[in-house]
Amino acid sequence: MRRVGLAATAAYLPERWMTADEVADASGIPADVIREKFGLRGKHVAAADEHVSDLAVAAAERLLVEHAVDPESIDVLVYYGSTWKDYAVWQVAPWIAHRLGCSRAYAIEYDNVSMGTPVALRAARALLVAEPEWRTALLVAASRESYLLDYGNERSRFMFNFGDGAVAGLLEGGAERNLLLASHAVTDGSFALQVKVPAGGSVDPASIESVTGKRHFLDVADPAQMKDGLDDVSLPNFLAAARGAVERSGATLADVSYLCGIHMKRSMHDAIVQALGVDPTRAAYLDDTGHMSGVDPLLGLDRAARTGEIAAGDLVLLLAAGTGYTWAATALRWGPA
């Protein structure tokens, strides 16, 4: 089978940084709870005129410039970030490709929310394997979901860590380094209606009442039911996704050298790290950015690569979960094949 590798990564974070104290002031939750239980020192917030397409273009431009990549050499551009974009019913991928000058690129996107990174890597790898004439795939993800938060809505408090940012990754077919290995995912659709923006779709079209009722912000239908249900299945499903990805890659969980996950409350992060048997110092934790939809795992990997935290031979696990609910993982072997 054709080998596919991750040739480059880059990220972009907006200038404004909202501190834990500011989140506390907005929500009424004590600042020490935000820092310790939420695991959040602060998060980046996009400017009012800085949209998902702008964030994504900024990250992708950084990648193209840093690695001297000709935009016209990109065969396919995949957007996999937040589903809340510049416009309500709209595809952002073609606009990103146009702005970057990727004039040859086939532009597509996936609505994968927070499990986006491992899912997008899996899909893009499959595209490059199935289409031998394609050599490069540019993956971009962005999130601006801090603007979907109503800090006065206690039902949605577990999402108060949502921040803004973007990431980009370049995949190459026929690669000889940083090879993508296998992926695995688990879906439980019983949680599908719990987390959503209630209004704006066909069930509850936008109206004066929906706006005044604040139904255009993220909400949770039944927080107690969701928490009780997720408490039972989250850790086992994270482990099932992780184990499936590494075993399909011909490895075991004991072989995982570095973990790149999504930002979540500190206790769940620690439980996952312990259950996987990963050294806690070898697990990215984005307490300075919060959670950014599909951005997190690739951002963690980009940071680890830039700081030299991962080395040739390391088995890197990109692990995520997203509302829907799907838990997903993709394994990657760092360095030369």
Side-chain angles (χ1 to χ4, degrees):
M1 181 181 292
R2 188 187 195 193
R3 291 175 168 178
V4 176
L6 180 62
T9 58
Y12 170 77
L13 297 171
E15 182 178 349
R16 183 191 168 199
W17 195 62
M18 185 179 187
T19 67
D21 287 337
E22 290 179 280
V23 175
D25 289 343
S27 65
I29 299 171
D32 60 332
V33 173
I34 298 293
R35 282 188 286 266
E36 296 169 17
K37 185 173 181 180
F38 282 58
L40 185 69
R41 294 188 292 113
K43 60 184 184 178
H44 292 265
V45 175
D49 61 350
E50 195 172 31
H51 305 289
V52 156
S53 65
D54 303 314
L55 300 171
V57 166
E61 284 181 335
R62 182 167 295 173
L63 184 152
L64 296 175
V65 170
E66 286 183 348
H67 297 272
V69 177
D70 180 359
E72 293 187 358
S73 70
I74 302 300
D75 294 304
V76 57
L77 184 143
V78 181
Y79 174 81
Y80 67 92
S82 172
T83 60
W84 188 63
K85 298 165 290 193
D86 307 31
Y87 303 100
V89 181
W90 182 64
Q91 288 237 316
V92 71
W95 181 229
I96 294 170
H98 174 72
R99 290 177 62 182
L100 292 172
C102 299
S103 58
R104 293 180 48 255
Y106 167 46
I108 56 175
E109 55 193 76
Y110 294 95
D111 285 351
N112 285 323
V113 294
S114 300
M115 70 285 202
T117 289
V119 174
L121 289 172
R122 183 180 194 175
R125 174 179 178 268
L127 281 174
L128 291 179
V129 169
E131 304 285 350
E133 70 274 18
W134 287 350
R135 177 171 172 76
T136 57
L138 180 60
L139 275 61
V140 290
S143 179
R144 192 181 180 270
E145 293 187 3
S146 72
Y147 281 79
L148 287 180
L149 299 176
D150 173 9
Y151 289 105
N153 179 5
E154 188 174 350
R155 292 188 304 274
S156 63
R157 60 181 286 158
F158 86 93
M159 292 181 276
F160 291 172
N161 67 328
F162 282 18
D164 305 334
V167 71
L170 180 67
L171 300 189
E172 289 186 349
E176 295 298 331
R177 59 182 296 106
N178 303 344
L179 298 184
L180 291 181
L181 303 177
S183 303
H184 190 65
V186 177
T187 294
D188 185 339
S190 67
F191 298 99
L193 296 180
Q194 283 285 0
V195 178
K196 58 187 178 293
V197 173
S202 60
V203 172
D204 186 1
S207 63
I208 293 175
E209 290 76 16
S210 70
V211 173
T212 57
K214 293 188 173 183
R215 298 202 299 274
H216 293 269
F217 294 94
L218 283 164
D219 202 357
V220 180
D222 189 331
Q225 183 183 56
M226 179 179 170
K227 182 180 184 302
D228 290 344
L230 284 178
D231 283 349
D232 291 337
V233 302
S234 277
L235 185 57
N237 285 348
F238 269 121
L239 291 177
R243 184 176 293 109
V246 298
E247 289 182 354
R248 294 179 65 194
S249 301
T252 69
L253 291 178
D255 298 316
V256 174
S257 305
Y258 200 89
L259 176 66
C260 297
I262 60 173
H263 184 269
M264 60 186 75
K265 63 181 182 180
R266 173 64 79 169
S267 60
M268 177 56 78
H269 170 83
D270 291 345
I272 293 170
V273 169
Q274 182 178 12
L276 292 175
V278 175
D279 180 342
T281 65
R282 305 277 295 162
Y285 191 65
L286 305 173
D287 61 354
D288 65 320
T289 67
H291 177 51
M292 297 170 290
S293 189
V295 171
D296 299 8
L298 203 59
L299 173 62
L301 178 61
D302 178 68
R303 286 182 166 183
R306 291 174 186 270
T307 57
E309 294 179 60
I310 47 178
D314 280 352
L315 182 66
V316 180
L317 183 66
L318 298 111
L319 183 65
T323 53
Y325 239 84
T326 293
W327 294 258
T330 290
L332 181 152
R333 181 69 68 183
W334 198 254

